[in-house]
Amino acid sequence: MMEFIAVNMAPIMFASLVVFLLLGYPVAFALAANGLLFFFIGVELAPLSEGTISLGWNLLGTMPDRFWGVLSNETLLAIPFFTFMGIVLERSGMAEDLLDTIGQLFGPIRGGLAYAVIIVGALLAATTGVVAASVIAMGLISLPIMLRYGYDRRIASGVIAASGTLAQIIPPSLVLIVLADQLGRSVGDMYKGALIPGLVLTGIYMGYVLVMSILKPQSMPALPLEARTLGSGVTSLIVALAVAAGVGVGTHYWFADAYGAKNADILGAVAGIAVIYIAAILDRAAGGKLMSRLAQQVIIVLIPPLALIFLVLGTIFLGIATPTEGGAMGAVGALLLAGIKGRLNLGVVTQALASTTRLSAFVMFILLGARMFSLTFYGVNGHIWVEHLLTSLPGGEYGFLIAVSVLVFLLAFFLDFFELAFIIVPLLAPAAEALGIDLIWFGIILGVNMQTSFMHPPFGFALFYLRSVAPRQSYIDPVTKARMAPVTTGQIYWGAVPFVCIQIVMVALVILFPQMVMHYKGAPVDTSNVTITLPQMPSLGGGLGGGLGGGLGGGLGAPSGTAPGAPAPGGLGAPPGLAPGGLGVPPGLAPATPVPPAAN
């Protein structure tokens, strides 16, 4: 019996971890306790394991170094920066301004509020990267308005919850930082790879709203005329954007020769945006005769978060800053935006610092527990067991990806994304690499899949966040004075189902079309027309050069008069005409006759 346990220690250890988690123990302590328990068992059973257990008491002495490796990881320093940035922006009222403005912009069309929620969800994802902040803000602001004007409760709930989870896949996502760290890849490459899948997923969400607005127009009506407080004025906005484009193109051509096309593009975009932003502010101050109120509001509200997105992601993608440095700049930018809006005070900073500290400590404790678990799991050859188990699946690369996607989807019913990233991903990465799968592509597949952990019951956190702010009882609407029915938990869950299906479709699309991710490598280099030219080697002449040239038979640096390829008369390495004076002896210095040996 003991021999069986010793030989099969890895699967037993993994199964016991699952039992610990299902019993409700905190993940960090379950990992650490499981690792220590099986370390002691493994050391005692090592003689019975037929060589599969390589644990010894001296390995415990390596734990301080392993812990220090976690604490000194500069990549993970981006997590508190982005968390702080997101919380400050959420407290600054940016979400309210964005939802109100974009809701007014899309209000005249069916499903306009739903489009606004999805677009704002994408913008909040690109600035905050925090799911809870996005879902709660949109649930508090948009859900009452959507219910007021007759939106179907399931559609409204599903759109808000799904749009909040875009923070999982659109950079600067905290999930992508953790995945990059666990896979041993660059956070910048992970961000570049995730950008297109995130935008495609946003487009599919909007496509679903479009289809539902056609099939069930009564489920998402347009805003009534009296609710459009900013009036019309889309034409004015289009003219302003055309002016910005003209200024940008002109700036590009003006600076292209001096700064290069790439830098001129950036200068052009900055100049065009700055012109219309300053014009909108001056026009509002002067009474609004140049632009419509709608155009003013859209420009003034949208440009600051877009500028912050460029400050963070643009500098990372252009190679100007690392993700950690980009996060630091984003935190400073968030403080500036909050200060400009008059929302920056000691209370906001204190709340942001407290939330950031809690999340950072949570991540750090899980990582430390995972270090203890991995030490024991690798010591019982658990990584080899997992690799053999996964690489032997039928179907090769695609069979592995499908099986892993199904596994992660099922585990997401019970584990959140941090637990999946710290427990499951380190076990899957070696098998993926052994099959030749690009780990950035693999990480994006996992990231899209992990979104479902926020969306499906029983532990869908986005659903819990929305449940916490959705009305549980009937209430009187403050505008229409009508009695509104509550939003039930069943309506929230059923509203999430179509979006979970969309996320599964997105996983399949990323698997089938890896080009959506692989663009992070840049354009391939065509080597067919590459010519390698070596510099002309100078003639080494006589002396040492003559010895080398003669020895190689008229090769490199052959003395003049020696036919190319002809052997030198002095043999290999002997200059022509020399007695055995040795390789490289200059002519005239070697003795004419051999030197007799000294008498004994």
Side-chain angles (χ1 to χ4, degrees):
M1 182 65 179
M2 291 294 103
E3 291 83 355
F4 175 81
I5 294 175
V7 173
N8 295 279
M9 183 72 75
I12 295 173
M13 182 179 177
F14 186 78
S16 68
L17 175 64
V18 174
V19 171
F20 271 104
L21 295 175
L22 291 178
L23 288 175
Y25 288 99
V27 177
F29 302 118
L31 284 168
N34 199 56
L36 278 173
L37 173 64
F38 279 89
F39 185 92
F40 296 144
I41 296 173
V43 170
E44 296 299 325
L45 296 184
L48 306 176
S49 66
E50 301 176 3
T52 59
I53 297 178
S54 55
L55 293 174
W57 296 114
N58 58 331
L59 283 177
L60 285 179
T62 66
M63 287 311 299
D65 284 338
R66 292 171 67 86
F67 286 168
W68 176 248
V70 174
L71 297 174
S72 59
N73 189 337
E74 291 188 3
T75 300
L76 296 177
L77 193 60
I79 291 178
F81 283 140
F82 285 124
T83 305
F84 180 81
M85 178 183 77
I87 295 172
V88 169
L89 288 176
E90 187 260 331
R91 299 286 193 276
S92 72
M94 185 182 72
E96 291 92 328
D97 294 341
L98 287 172
L99 284 167
D100 180 59
T101 302
I102 299 179
Q104 292 287 324
L105 181 63
F106 286 91
I109 62 175
R110 287 196 187 98
L113 289 177
Y115 291 128
V117 166
I118 294 171
I119 293 171
V120 171
L123 289 172
L124 292 177
T127 49
T128 66
V130 181
V131 174
S134 301
V135 174
I136 290 174
M138 292 189 293
L140 287 171
I141 301 160
S142 294
L143 186 59
I145 299 173
M146 297 172 87
L147 299 180
R148 177 183 304 153
Y149 296 113
Y151 270 67
D152 183 273
R153 281 165 166 71
R154 288 179 295 181
I155 291 178
S157 301
V159 166
I160 292 173
S163 300
T165 61
L166 288 172
Q168 289 283 98
I169 192 62
I170 293 180
S173 164
L174 301 183
V175 179
L176 297 178
I177 297 174
V178 174
L179 285 174
D181 177 69
Q182 295 299 302
L183 294 172
R185 291 298 182 265
S186 162
V187 176
D189 287 344
M190 192 70 77
Y191 279 177
K192 291 178 185 176
L195 187 60
I196 291 179
L199 295 177
V200 170
L201 184 59
T202 304
I204 296 176
Y205 285 169
M206 296 180 73
Y208 170 75
V209 171
L210 175 63
V211 171
M212 293 302 296
S213 67
I214 295 172
L215 297 179
K216 295 183 176 180
Q218 72 282 0
S219 65
M220 48 182 71
L223 278 180
L225 192 60
E226 63 272 12
R228 302 173 201 169
T229 56
L230 294 178
S232 59
V234 176
T235 304
S236 176
L237 178 62
I238 294 173
V239 171
L241 294 177
V243 170
V247 172
V249 171
T251 306
H252 168 83
Y253 282 112
W254 183 269
F255 290 105
D257 293 334
Y259 295 98
K262 185 176 181 180
N263 292 328
D265 287 341
I266 299 172
L267 290 173
V270 171
I273 292 173
V275 166
I276 62 169
Y277 185 68
I278 294 172
I281 292 176
L282 294 177
D283 188 48
R284 173 176 284 186
K289 297 180 180 179
L290 183 62
M291 299 181 186
S292 65
R293 288 180 59 209
L294 179 64
Q296 288 176 5
Q297 185 74 2
V298 169
I299 292 171
I300 292 173
V301 168
L302 276 182
I303 286 181
L306 290 176
L308 185 62
I309 291 170
F310 174 77
L311 179 68
V312 176
L313 297 182
T315 53
I316 294 173
F317 291 163
L318 293 172
I320 299 172
T322 66
T324 302
E325 293 165 347
M329 289 191 295
V332 173
L335 290 172
L336 290 175
L337 287 181
I340 292 171
K341 287 178 174 290
R343 305 281 183 91
L344 185 62
N345 53 54
L346 184 60
V348 169
V349 175
T350 302
Q351 291 174 4
L353 287 174
S355 300
T356 302
T357 303
R358 279 196 297 269
L359 180 62
S360 301
F362 169 72
V363 172
M364 200 58 63
F365 268 98
I366 291 181
L367 272 173
L368 295 178
R371 285 294 191 209
M372 186 66 243
F373 178 83
S374 65
L375 175 70
T376 306
F377 197 68
Y378 277 63
V380 299
N381 284 334
H383 58 299
I384 298 175
W385 169 68
V386 172
E387 184 174 334
H388 287 173
L389 184 67
L390 294 175
T391 55
S392 60
L393 291 170
E397 179 181 295
Y398 285 99
F400 169 80
L401 291 175
I402 293 171
V404 166
S405 297
V406 173
L407 173 66
V408 171
F409 177 76
L410 294 176
L411 289 175
F413 278 87
F414 311 103
L415 303 175
D416 71 5
F417 69 95
F418 273 128
E419 295 161 358
L420 289 170
F422 290 131
I423 298 173
I424 303 302
V425 173
L427 303 179
L428 301 177
E433 197 164 18
L435 289 170
I437 297 172
D438 184 274
L439 291 186
I440 296 292
W441 178 38
F442 184 58
I444 301 305
I445 293 171
L446 293 177
V448 176
N449 203 335
M450 287 179 188
Q451 278 188 295
T452 60
S453 69
F454 277 90
M455 288 293 291
H456 53 46
F459 302 117
F461 287 99
L463 307 182
F464 290 162
Y465 299 146
L466 184 59
R467 173 70 281 175
S468 67
V469 296
R472 294 176 179 272
Q473 298 176 347
S474 60
Y475 64 98
I476 303 296
D477 184 85
V479 175
T480 63
K481 307 302 180 184
R483 178 166 292 277
M484 308 298 295
V487 178
T488 66
T489 303
Q491 288 170 337
I492 294 175
Y493 281 177
W494 280 111
V497 170
F499 292 94
V500 172
C501 295
I502 290 173
Q503 290 170 349
I504 295 172
V505 170
M506 190 65 215
V507 173
L509 289 177
V510 176
I511 293 175
L512 293 174
F513 301 101
Q515 298 84 359
M516 284 196 291
V517 175
M518 303 301 286
H519 69 89
Y520 81 90
K521 293 183 175 181
V525 178
D526 183 10
T527 59
S528 60
N529 297 321
V530 174
T531 303
I532 300 176
T533 304
L534 295 175
Q536 183 67 33
M537 297 296 292
S539 175
L540 298 178
L544 179 60
L548 289 174
L552 295 176
L556 185 64
S560 106
T562 305
L572 180 61
L578 287 187
L583 177 62
V585 179
L589 294 183
T593 58
V595 178
N600 294 328

